[in-house]
Amino acid sequence: MKCALLLAAFGFVACASEAMPVKQPNVILIVVDTLRMDHTNLDGYERETTPFLAELVAEGAYSLQNVRASAPWTKPSVASILTGLDPREHGVLGHPDRLHSSNKTLAEIYHDAGYQTAAFQSNLLLSSVFGYDQGFDSYNEEFLAGHRESTGAGLNAAVAKWLDEERDPDRPFFLYIHHFEPHFDYLRSGEEWVADYDGPLTGAETMDQLIGATDKLRTAELRFLASRYDAEIQYQDQLLHELWGEFGQRGLQDDVLLAVTADHGEEFGEHGDISHQYKMYDELLHVPLVIRTGAGAARGLDPSACELGVSLKQLGATLLDLSGVKADFAGPSMAGVFVEFPVLSHSMLHDGSKEMRNVDMVFNGREKLIRIEGTSGQAEQLLYFDTVDDPQEKLDLSQASPERVRSLLNLLESTLARRAKEGPLDLKTESILLDEGTLQRMRDLGYF
């Protein structure tokens, strides 16, 4: 039995399905780059940015409301989606880091289960050079987007061509599709929302230029940038609608298990910066997750309210569970009986010197603790927020609530220790030397 979704303050309530699959369903995982939850119509946003995603939910798909990414930037976040591991476990922490072959990926598991696996991705940071092609029969990266490029339409066309020319009709498929459009550069004007803007920004600025002028950006400039970002989201939603239509034209919608999410969000001055990479606030970590189980799903999502929040690292185990593939994969799954699970995120902070510092976050569905590692001459910093009473995370309660800080800090440290003990003992990390062309492309996108 399917049921409508009840959107609750702390998570979601969904009804489990009793139907058993006749065959293993096709599985499509779509990750939209740089899409923050509160700029979608899944979260009450006033601008119509994601009507297609909202339509999927209206037709019975699940929209999980309390999901956090494992990192505030692409490389470690996607590695966590594909491995079910936290960044500290899979080892992809910095720009040169490569996803090591000792990690077992979602694509490998589906491949071993008899699935045809293919990926279509458009982010330079997910290049096969960094090991993200592990487990895929084919890995299409001819549409890597970058400065002043928009490649979503070409990516969609490549998926359609694969369906017609390379898909094996006798095997189920697992597709990973990574769309880039909401990421900077914001190529669409959003002029319907900022028609009265007469400030200095034109939309032609590089992210390096914008970051360098962050302290000079007024509210009007931030609104101008956010409106262009919203226009990118609106275009991205249109691309998703068109892509879903390609599956419909080929009669491939009914039995498809579809998940649409994002790797991270984007900041527009909420905590003093723009872009994304190392901060742990919800404009960067709170992401959408829509799951359409389809006719072939082994079961539905857990019927209990997800009060402790959900980590994107759980998505892989959930897809395997819903598609009836038995595998030893990190999780836990959100299908079946939900397991209470602290949500962790991690990034590395560069403070202007050569020293990198760990930034960790633990979230229990309402409360969030952020720990910024100290240096030899600086104590560690702890920030504590109640995300229900203070969804904008403006009021740090760490001094006023020492007992809650202590409790969450213990939860963070015990969870890190347990996962380190339970993790793969042979896990290795690997870095590669980035050439100057790649470095410049990454600078153009706002990194470094």
Side-chain angles (χ1 to χ4, degrees):
M1 180 185 68
K2 282 269 189 175
C3 78
L5 185 69
L6 173 60
L7 303 183
F10 298 115
F12 67 93
V13 176
C15 288
S17 171
E18 298 296 331
M20 294 301 292
V22 176
K23 62 177 182 177
Q24 289 179 315
N26 295 316
V27 181
I28 305 169
L29 169 57
I30 300 175
V31 177
V32 175
D33 214 298
T34 322
L35 177 58
R36 54 188 278 181
M37 176 64 166
D38 64 354
H39 278 236
T40 73
N41 299 129
L42 307 173
D43 196 36
Y45 195 46
E46 67 274 11
R47 294 174 177 172
E48 190 177 53
T49 52
T50 58
F52 169 65
L53 290 182
E55 181 183 344
L56 281 180
V57 175
E59 293 175 350
Y62 302 96
S63 177
L64 282 67
Q65 296 291 292
N66 218 12
V67 180
R68 298 306 185 279
S70 298
W73 65 295
T74 299
K75 284 190 73 175
S77 179
V78 171
S80 290
I81 294 172
L82 295 180
T83 65
L85 300 172
D86 288 312
R88 284 178 176 268
E89 295 175 293
H90 59 60
V92 180
L93 303 178
H95 295 101
D97 290 339
R98 189 177 192 276
L99 184 62
H100 198 274
S101 58
S102 57
N103 291 287
K104 187 78 169 180
T105 68
L106 188 60
E108 285 181 292
I109 291 175
Y110 272 116
H111 183 274
D112 292 347
Y115 275 71
Q116 185 179 10
T117 59
F120 302 83
Q121 74 89 9
S122 53
N123 189 315
L124 173 68
L125 300 185
L126 302 178
S127 167
S128 55
V129 171
F130 294 116
Y132 289 88
D133 59 338
Q134 187 175 322
F136 288 103
D137 297 323
S138 59
Y139 196 78
N140 186 308
E141 49 187 334
E142 62 180 305
F143 295 98
L144 292 183
H147 197 57
R148 295 282 137 196
E149 293 178 81
S150 181
T151 58
L155 197 72
N156 281 358
V159 175
K161 182 179 180 182
W162 182 90
L163 291 172
D164 290 336
E165 299 180 6
E166 298 183 49
R167 180 177 73 89
D168 182 350
D170 296 324
R171 299 165 63 195
F173 59 74
F174 168 65
L175 297 185
Y176 170 62
I177 301 166
H178 192 103
H179 268 285
F180 192 76
E181 261 58 30
H183 195 293
F184 188 84
D185 286 2
Y186 314 132
L187 301 182
R188 285 144 197 94
S189 69
E191 59 187 359
E192 64 268 35
W193 298 311
V194 286
D196 57 345
Y197 176 72
D198 60 357
L201 298 185
T202 66
E205 296 79 10
T206 68
M207 184 54 76
D208 258 2
Q209 290 172 329
L210 293 172
I211 290 174
T214 299
D215 58 348
K216 300 181 179 64
L217 296 177
R218 306 168 301 159
T219 300
E221 275 68 61
L222 294 171
R223 182 170 173 264
F224 172 79
L225 292 173
S227 295
R228 294 180 71 92
Y229 170 72
D230 285 345
E232 291 295 311
I233 297 174
Q234 191 178 67
Y235 176 63
Q236 175 64 77
D237 186 77
Q238 178 184 331
L239 288 172
L240 294 179
H241 188 204
E242 293 169 359
L243 180 61
W244 186 236
E246 296 287 356
F247 291 96
Q249 290 173 25
R250 293 159 178 80
L252 295 172
Q253 286 185 357
D254 290 344
D255 67 341
V256 160
L257 170 58
L258 170 69
V260 183
T261 188
D263 52 357
H264 56 77
E266 187 84 311
E267 182 183 353
F268 293 97
E270 290 88 349
H271 290 92
D273 285 309
I274 57 174
S275 188
H276 58 270
Q277 193 165 5
Y278 66 89
K279 290 188 175 181
M280 292 291 176
Y281 299 106
D282 270 0
E283 58 265 21
L284 299 183
L285 293 181
H286 190 191
V287 294
L289 174 56
V290 173
I291 298 178
R292 179 190 182 274
T293 55
R299 61 173 101 188
L301 294 183
D302 189 293
S304 65
C306 183
E307 294 183 358
L308 291 188
V310 171
S311 170
L312 266 191
K313 67 167 273 182
Q314 297 174 252
L315 180 54
T318 303
L319 293 177
L320 292 169
D321 200 352
L322 292 173
S323 55
V325 175
K326 305 298 182 184
D328 182 16
F329 194 74
S333 170
M334 293 174 276
V337 178
F338 185 80
V339 178
E340 294 184 346
F341 187 77
V343 175
L344 302 189
S345 298
H346 175 272
S347 191
M348 301 293 290
L349 170 62
H350 192 290
D351 60 3
S353 68
K354 292 183 178 180
E355 187 170 6
M356 300 293 288
R357 292 188 283 155
N358 291 298
V359 184
D360 290 288
M361 185 278 289
V362 61
F363 176 64
N364 67 5
R366 174 170 184 150
E367 300 170 289
K368 175 191 286 191
L369 180 74
I370 300 170
R371 180 181 68 181
I372 304 173
E373 187 177 56
T375 63
S376 55
Q378 184 180 38
E380 74 174 8
Q381 184 179 6
L382 298 173
L383 305 171
Y384 165 62
F385 301 97
D386 183 324
T387 63
V388 174
D389 291 343
D390 177 26
Q392 303 303 315
E393 298 171 303
K394 297 296 186 183
L395 182 60
D396 172 22
L397 300 172
S398 58
Q399 298 301 313
S401 308
E403 291 185 3
R404 294 306 306 147
V405 169
R406 210 160 29 243
S407 175
L408 286 168
L409 186 58
N410 288 338
L411 178 62
L412 171 64
E413 292 178 340
S414 63
T415 304
L416 285 174
R418 185 179 70 253
R419 292 183 186 173
K421 183 178 180 180
E422 296 172 351
L425 297 178
D426 63 342
L427 182 62
K428 301 178 179 67
T429 58
E430 181 182 8
S431 296
I432 63 173
L433 182 64
L434 300 177
D435 61 78
E436 183 54 39
T438 300
L439 288 170
Q440 187 57 53
R441 291 183 70 183
M442 293 170 75
R443 292 187 192 102
D444 288 342
L445 295 172
Y447 297 103
F448 307 120

